[in-house]
Amino acid sequence: MATLYVGNLPWGTKAEDLQDAFSQYGEVLSSRVITDRETGRSRGFGFVEVNDADVEKMVAALNGTELGGRVITVNEAKAREARA
């Protein structure tokens, strides 16, 4: 399993929208849009968990494409650094 970072999302994007877009290129295990804890509003990025075999195909197919009127960034997510 691998996690893809998806950036520059339109504010109205839902996890289901990511699932629909990415499932055209392989199996989506889960998807989530990150929201602000206080306002509940989207922070403009999210993550999609996919099978390792689909990573390169999905990045190549979707990075730089348009979703909801905005050009999105898609790449393999990096491990989160520990907060000090």
Side-chain angles (χ1 to χ4, degrees), residues 30-46:
S30 71
S31 61
R32 64 191 187 278
V33 174
I34 305 305
T35 55
D36 184 282
R37 285 188 194 133
E38 294 178 17
T39 66
R41 188 174 140 181
S42 168
R43 293 189 55 203
F45 68 96

Side-chain angles (χ1 to χ4, degrees), residues 7-27:
N8 201 36
L9 292 173
W11 302 124
T13 303
K14 306 256 184 285
E16 297 80 29
D17 300 328
L18 291 179
Q19 177 115 14
D20 292 345
F22 281 78
S23 63
Q24 297 173 45
Y25 302 98
E27 184 182 2

Side-chain angles (χ1 to χ4, degrees), residues 45-61:
F45 68 96
F47 297 96
V48 179
E49 291 182 337
V50 300
N51 288 320
D52 289 330
D54 296 326
V55 170
E56 290 182 23
K57 178 172 49 174
M58 289 183 174
V59 170

